[in-house]
Amino acid sequence: MLTLIDDAISLTTGGISPRPDRDSKGRDGHQSIPLLRMLVGREKMRTFMKIRISLPVVALLAVWASEFAVAQTKPNPGSDVILGLEAKWNAAYGRGGIATMNSLLADDFIITVEDGSTLSKSGYIAHYGDSTVHVEISEMSDLRVRMHGKTAVVTGAYHEKGTSKGKPYEYRDRFTDVWMNMNGTWQVIASHYSIPARE
């Protein structure tokens, strides 16, 4: 340690020998050398302490970043369940499966459709269980699921084409579905469909 300090002193004093000649009474030829040694020693200690403090902080940040990246890429089993239920609902809707829709929709379910009108659970099932409505295409895409405990919010794009009372119709929408886990069973409590604004 003394050798390192002596070397540093030699550099800071412009090449003065780390061990100066002594006079006949044994006194140092340069009174400032002990002071320089002390200052260099303190500076080295400060640098060492900064490194000791910085390394754990950097390591902690690296661990946190890697865990966050893993969490972002890890599949969420809850999301898979909700996506499965969305597909089940869509299939039942396309073929007029009233029993399946009845099981998937909460009793207080409400839906807002493309023209801005709202339907309750019974109104929705009655409307789409109507034999005069024929759904030819019912496609969902760009589905995103956000899990919030016992609530799941699904957003996506929707395309539907068919005939109603003999008249053709076609929708290209954006939608939001809200699912809730009630007593271990997921049911959709609200749904909103809107036609994207034309540019």
Side-chain angles (χ1 to χ4, degrees), residues 96-188:
I98 294 175
T100 300
M101 287 193 285
N102 187 52
S103 68
L104 293 174
L105 306 182
D107 290 339
D108 60 348
F109 168 80
I110 189 166
I111 184 171
T112 302
V113 292
E114 290 82 359
D115 64 3
S117 60
T118 59
L119 297 169
S120 64
K121 176 179 180 176
S122 58
Y124 173 80
I125 291 176
H127 178 73
Y128 291 105
D130 187 345
S131 61
T132 65
V133 177
H134 299 283
V135 180
E136 299 169 9
I137 296 173
S138 177
E139 297 174 334
M140 296 183 298
S141 60
D142 191 27
L143 295 180
R144 308 279 177 91
V145 182
R146 292 164 180 82
M147 303 296 298
H148 301 278
K150 292 187 175 183
T151 304
V153 179
V154 182
T155 56
Y158 180 71
H159 176 217
E160 182 179 331
K161 184 178 180 181
T163 58
S164 177
K165 296 178 182 178
K167 295 181 180 180
Y169 71 88
E170 185 172 13
Y171 299 123
R172 292 185 183 275
D173 310 337
R174 295 295 303 181
F175 75 91
T176 301
D177 291 335
V178 181
W179 294 79
M180 184 170 286
N181 190 321
M182 294 175 282
N183 301 317
T185 301
W186 285 100
Q187 289 186 310
V188 61

